[in-house]
Amino acid sequence: MIRENLEKVEAAMREACARSGRNFEDVTLISVSKTKPKEMIEEAYACGKRQFGENKAQEMKEKCIALPEDIVWHFIGHLQTNKVKYIVGRAALIHSVDSLHLAEAIEAESAKKNTISKILVEVNVAQEETKFGVGTENACQLVREIAKFPHVKVEGLMTIAPFVENPEENRPIFCKLRELSVDIAAKNIDNVSMSVLSMGMTNDFEIAIEEGATHIRVGTGIFGEREYAVL
Ligand SMILES: *Cc1c(COP(=O)(O)O)cnc(C)c1O
């Protein structure tokens, strides 16, 4: 099932790239394996996948230790400062930095481990109250402040669009994130790159690709529906 799903997702990625005059190679598919067992990750790995996304710090750490070393882990969930220690040195990219306080904790842990952590600033473009992320108007200032940390490197921006029936509704959100990234790039801030735009999930990744996503995060479309324990 995973192989067929991956083929479908990649076919849709190719079509979205063709529609928007982009190269398929310029869009990275992150297989979002949160809540899914290691066996399913191994199945995707056997299909050649190497980029995986997790949203819980301890879960990512455990999977990282148990699974092949050449997996590239993306941390995409809300991160509490006391969990930063599980992620730094393991995640190739932390997509969800939305406060100076969190960036400070990542800086401290990265200095301690003598490593540089690559991060994205999460922007709440849709201004949904239930979502994390810095407001569009405060994103540039946060990037400037994080840029001062020697062990943290801003690589771009990330957003989570709302769940909508018609993915077209999210096009303005993706478009806004790209515009914001162009604006910030134009400021030529030292130690800052705006080369990554992480946007688009199962429901809307084709629109996100048309609007310039460099990284899409697809869970359900690859691994099927998630089941959450009822507490
Ligand atoms: C779960 C999750 C995804 C994947 O969502 P699907 O709709 O299953 O593709 C993408 N990004 C983030 C931040 C997530 O938490």
Side-chain angles (χ1 to χ4, degrees):
M1 174 195 86
I2 289 176
R3 183 175 293 275
E4 286 80 5
N5 287 348
L6 278 167
E7 281 167 6
K8 268 187 217 155
V9 168
E10 286 176 354
M13 288 173 69
R14 284 182 196 280
E15 283 170 23
C17 285
R19 279 196 299 278
S20 48
R22 302 187 59 200
N23 293 321
F24 175 74
E25 292 71 31
D26 294 339
V27 184
T28 301
L29 170 62
I30 300 171
S31 304
V32 176
S33 47
K34 64 189 190 194
T35 79
K36 297 296 182 185
K38 296 183 193 89
E39 291 70 29
M40 290 182 92
I41 300 178
E42 281 164 345
E43 214 178 316
Y45 184 92
C47 299
K49 295 297 107 190
R50 295 295 180 270
Q51 315 265 338
F52 291 89
E54 289 285 336
N55 73 336
K56 294 271 190 299
Q58 269 135 314
E59 186 177 342
M60 198 204 90
K61 178 193 164 183
E62 280 163 26
K63 287 174 170 172
C64 178
I65 290 169
L67 289 160
E69 272 183 27
D70 62 344
I71 287 182
V72 178
W73 294 99
H74 294 261
F75 190 78
I76 61 173
H78 180 64
L79 186 54
Q80 289 164 306
T81 52
N82 62 337
K83 305 262 173 77
V84 161
K85 58 178 182 281
Y86 300 125
I87 292 305
V88 167
R90 293 202 172 91
L93 189 61
I94 303 173
H95 291 231
S96 44
V97 177
D98 62 355
S99 73
L100 190 58
H101 179 64
L102 175 58
E104 258 161 13
I106 296 172
E107 165 63 25
E109 185 66 20
S110 306
K112 195 171 134 192
K113 290 186 174 147
N114 196 22
T115 188
I116 291 176
S117 293
K118 294 182 176 181
I119 66 120
L120 304 179
V121 166
E122 179 177 351
V123 186
N124 186 353
V125 181
Q127 295 187 308
E128 283 189 292
E129 280 173 28
T130 52
K131 292 236 167 77
F132 297 105
V134 66
T136 312
E137 62 292 347
N138 298 322
C140 187
Q141 185 56 32
L142 181 58
V143 168
R144 276 189 196 285
E145 285 162 357
I146 298 174
K148 293 172 192 158
F149 293 133
H151 300 88
V152 179
K153 175 94 202 307
V154 178
E155 295 284 341
L157 305 178
M158 177 271 230
T159 199
I160 303 175
F163 183 82
V164 287
E165 283 300 322
N166 178 2
E168 272 297 335
E169 289 174 42
N170 283 338
R171 189 183 293 278
I173 290 171
F174 299 141
C175 182
K176 244 186 216 166
L177 191 72
R178 188 196 48 212
E179 285 171 2
L180 183 61
S181 128
V182 170
D183 288 350
I184 296 174
K187 301 201 156 84
N188 287 315
I189 306 165
D190 266 1
N191 193 34
V192 169
S193 156
M194 279 289 133
S195 58
V196 175
L197 265 186
S198 167
M199 55 190 197
M201 313 190 351
T202 297
N203 195 42
D204 55 17
F205 70 83
E206 291 158 275
I207 308 286
I209 290 172
E210 289 172 16
E211 294 302 324
T214 65
H215 290 63
I216 60 169
R217 311 176 306 263
V218 179
T220 314
I222 297 170
F223 297 109
E225 296 287 340
R226 286 176 293 273
E227 285 169 33
Y228 290 99
V230 181
L231 297 175

